[in-house]
């Protein structure tokens, strides 16, 4: 099988807005998030998870909150810095293998514009697949559709 990259949008391509790019957050918002993680990680996890998950279903929401809370707090801040401050846009044009980007249409963490941007920059033939009405973790909230997209790509 030919090489193929599957990208589920987490924001690693750059999450901070600039004049020519809308990554989802202003720098001051990211600094605020990092401050909350540093001072009260547990409270941040409880606050962030419902926004990112985008559903009110208590069972998957609580499972994700618990998962976040189990993270070593000393590891959480450096990881968050990498995610929120890491900007990998400069490498996108060097990716020359086919890619499939999977994005929820109601992602409050990484807006639709990010998927569009990535698709325009990747050079290997890129498809952008949306999971309607899903937020930042459609693999949790809509696993059947997520798997369907991956299976469709694998069957190509």
């Amino acid at each position: 099988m030919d090489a193929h990259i599957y990208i589920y949008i987490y924001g690693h391509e750059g999450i901070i807005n600039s004049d020519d790019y809308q990554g989802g957050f202003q720098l001051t918002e990211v600094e605020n998030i990092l401050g909350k993680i540093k001072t009260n990680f547990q409270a941040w996890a409880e606050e962030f998870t419902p926004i990112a998950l985008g559903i009110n279903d208590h069972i998957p929401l609580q499972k994700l909150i618990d998962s976040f809370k189990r993270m070593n707090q000393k590891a959480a801040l450096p990881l968050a810095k990498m995610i929120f401050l890491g900007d990998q846009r400069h490498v996108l044009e060097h990716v020359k293998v086919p890619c499939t980007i999977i994005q929820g249409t109601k992602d409050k963490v990484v807006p639709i514009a990010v998927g569009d941007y990535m698709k325009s920059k990747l050079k290997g033939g890129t498809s952008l697949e949306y999971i309607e009405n899903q937020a930042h973790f459609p693999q949790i909230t809509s696993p059947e559709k997520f798997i369907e997209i991956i299976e469709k790509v694998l069957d190509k």
Side-chain angles (χ1 to χ4, degrees):
M1 175 173 30
D2 294 331
H4 194 104
I5 297 175
Y6 307 92
I7 302 172
Y8 169 66
I9 297 188
Y10 279 102
H12 298 286
E13 61 291 325
I15 202 161
I16 297 174
N17 295 334
S18 64
D19 290 340
D20 63 342
Y21 177 76
Q22 293 303 304
F25 293 90
Q26 297 298 332
L27 180 57
T28 54
E29 293 172 299
V30 170
E31 289 169 344
N32 188 21
I33 291 167
L34 295 174
K36 286 180 182 177
I37 291 170
K38 183 177 182 179
T39 59
N40 193 343
F41 175 72
Q42 300 292 313
W44 174 83
E46 293 217 14
E47 181 182 308
F48 173 77
T49 307
I51 294 167
L53 197 57
I55 63 170
N56 294 321
D57 188 335
H58 179 72
I59 294 171
L61 179 59
Q62 193 58 52
K63 284 183 177 182
L64 190 59
I65 289 170
D66 292 345
S67 173
F68 270 76
K69 287 177 151 186
R70 281 191 302 271
M71 184 183 300
N72 180 321
Q73 194 162 352
K74 289 182 180 180
L77 185 60
L79 177 62
K81 284 181 178 180
M82 181 200 65
I83 291 169
F84 287 105
L85 298 175
D87 187 349
Q88 302 304 314
R89 288 178 286 166
H90 65 282
V91 301
L92 295 176
E93 66 186 36
H94 301 288
V95 176
K96 297 182 180 3
V97 297
C99 298
T100 299
I101 300 168
I102 302 173
Q103 181 169 11
T105 59
K106 292 194 175 187
D107 191 335
K108 293 181 181 175
V109 179
V110 180
I112 298 274
V114 173
D116 294 335
Y117 177 88
M118 290 177 67
K119 183 178 179 189
S120 75
K121 298 294 180 182
L122 293 164
K123 302 297 181 197
T126 302
S127 65
L128 180 54
E129 300 284 342
Y130 295 108
I131 297 182
E132 294 295 323
N133 301 319
Q134 296 302 313
H136 195 61
F137 297 108
Q139 74 273 30
I140 295 172
T141 58
S142 190
E144 298 85 9
K145 182 65 177 173
F146 194 83
I147 291 167
E148 177 185 314
I149 291 169
I150 291 174
E151 286 177 340
K152 181 176 83 172
V153 173
L154 288 173
D155 287 340
K156 286 184 181 180

